[in-house]
Amino acid sequence: METRILPFDDDAIAEASRLILAGEPVAVPTETVYGLAADATNAEAVARIYEAKRRPSFNPLIVHVRDLEAARKIGVFDDSARTLAERHWPGPLTLVVPVRKDAGIASIVTAGLPTIGLRVPAHPAMQALLRASARPLAAPSANASGSISPTRATHVLKSLGGRIRLIIDGGATERGLESTIVAATGVTLRLLRPGPLSINAEAGGSAKIEAPGQLASHYAPSKPVRLNSGSAQADEFLIGFADVDGDVSLSASGDLVEAAARLFDLLHEADASEKPRIAVAPVPESGLGAAINDRLRRAAA
Ligand code: TXA
Ligand code: MG
């Protein structure tokens, strides 16, 4: 795949928007770092983010929206969350809030969690793309898994060249550091990731730092999960893949992008079924399969 770099202007945004609506991820600058953005309502588009990054596991992704009003259609904001949003948006603040049932966000974005990270970015390129595509955009940093976050278009090209179609070049990012993440899901605000903003003081000293990316609660089914199953036993709900037919299938054609896109929905469906146990067909370890298998092993642990 050829990776084009276009300087940020109206034409570049029109092309990026066309790709986003076609389900392709696009690298775009924000005021923190470059993000690899995809339509957060399209599970396969989001799966392609993981494919491009060769990320070996699924983490919940931050969803970018144009303003607080758009954010409130996706998440539930209590008074403290709204106060922080009004003070710092647009800007380098991500708020983790309960996700609305009718939000229309693909479950791969939240990795099956009942909460969602939301951010209103200040950068004109990301803002323009949000307006042009009229979609909420899921975006992790635009680098291959394990390498450092990109603050220039050339960093993105070095890391993801040949794996994405377009990079919008907006020059060096202003902050150079990923957004501050604050959870407003309980009684007190909690600092999940330190960043460009010092929210600590504003949280009245009650904020407690958790290691970035270390999630206390990851979605796991409530039932036992058996992996690498070629067929179901009588009391099992079988999630199939490729040649292994099940009650449902991750992908009958063996497509790993489709499988990643359906994974969390099908785990929820299996959990809600009448069968007391869950079985899952073997998924190859290649490409996105590594991330799928990582998540399946956690679900089975
Ligand atoms: O500045 C930034 O935040 C950049 C730009 C592109 O916006 N994005 C970014 O995304 O740093 P990423 O994927 O590298 O980091 C997202 C982190 C995850 O590791 C996770 O810890 C946290 O956000 N996160 C997202 N949703 C969450 C949730 N529902 N609960 C807890 N943590 C969440
Ligand atoms: Mg990152």
Side-chain angles (χ1 to χ4, degrees):
M1 171 186 311
E2 189 206 343
T3 302
R4 287 199 296 154
I5 302 190
L6 296 176
F8 167 43
D9 63 13
D10 290 352
D11 290 346
I13 293 298
E15 175 63 6
S17 178
R18 196 186 62 73
L19 287 167
I20 291 286
L21 296 178
E24 289 287 337
V26 171
V28 55
T30 81
E31 70 276 34
T32 57
V33 300
Y34 276 70
L36 186 59
D39 178 357
T41 68
N42 178 342
E44 291 195 15
V46 176
R48 290 193 185 99
I49 292 177
Y50 285 96
E51 189 183 45
K53 283 175 66 84
R54 297 191 206 90
R55 201 162 177 165
S57 63
F58 296 113
N59 266 330
L61 300 177
I62 296 169
V63 172
H64 301 70
V65 290
R66 54 186 297 183
D67 54 25
L68 176 55
E69 195 190 332
R72 291 182 69 187
K73 293 197 176 120
I74 297 173
V76 180
F77 285 67
D78 63 14
D79 287 348
S80 56
R82 203 165 54 237
T83 302
L84 275 183
E86 281 166 353
R87 191 171 306 164
H88 295 290
W89 281 354
L93 171 69
T94 296
L95 284 167
V96 172
V97 298
V99 65
R100 289 192 186 280
K101 293 248 178 320
D102 60 353
I105 300 294
S107 64
I108 187 174
V109 172
T110 55
L113 292 173
T115 58
I116 189 162
L118 291 166
R119 176 158 108 79
V120 175
H123 197 288
M126 187 57 138
Q127 273 289 344
L129 187 56
L130 286 165
R131 282 194 299 273
S133 65
R135 291 288 194 284
L137 297 176
S141 51
N143 53 276
S145 178
S147 51
I148 54 171
S149 288
T151 58
R152 293 175 180 278
T154 50
H155 298 166
V156 180
L157 184 67
K158 223 162 133 190
S159 198
L160 298 179
R163 308 188 64 87
I164 58 176
R165 296 196 185 280
L166 178 63
I167 302 169
I168 294 183
D169 188 350
T173 62
E174 184 192 340
R175 305 278 190 162
L177 196 66
E178 293 95 340
S179 62
T180 302
I181 305 182
V182 175
T185 50
V187 208
T188 55
L189 296 171
R190 285 177 307 130
L191 184 62
L192 299 185
R193 180 172 75 183
L197 299 176
S198 40
I199 302 289
N200 228 344
E202 290 169 352
S206 61
K208 159 172 127 258
I209 297 180
E210 294 178 2
Q214 294 301 301
L215 296 176
S217 62
H218 236 308
Y219 173 75
S222 61
K223 300 171 181 175
V225 178
R226 186 169 67 91
L227 303 181
N228 297 314
S229 315
S231 61
Q233 288 163 13
D235 61 348
E236 287 178 333
F237 182 96
L238 177 62
I239 299 177
F241 178 78
D243 292 345
V244 177
D245 294 326
D247 296 276
V248 292
S249 179
L250 287 164
S251 170
S253 65
D255 176 353
L256 290 168
V257 170
E258 184 184 19
R262 289 168 60 75
L263 178 63
F264 292 101
D265 284 339
L266 295 188
L267 284 174
H268 278 283
E269 191 175 329
D271 217 9
S273 82
E274 281 169 5
K275 301 278 175 67
R277 301 194 300 131
I278 301 168
V280 188
V283 174
E285 191 66 21
S286 59
L288 265 182
I292 294 169
N293 283 321
D294 169 81
R295 200 62 195 75
L296 285 172
R297 278 191 293 273
R298 289 169 198 243

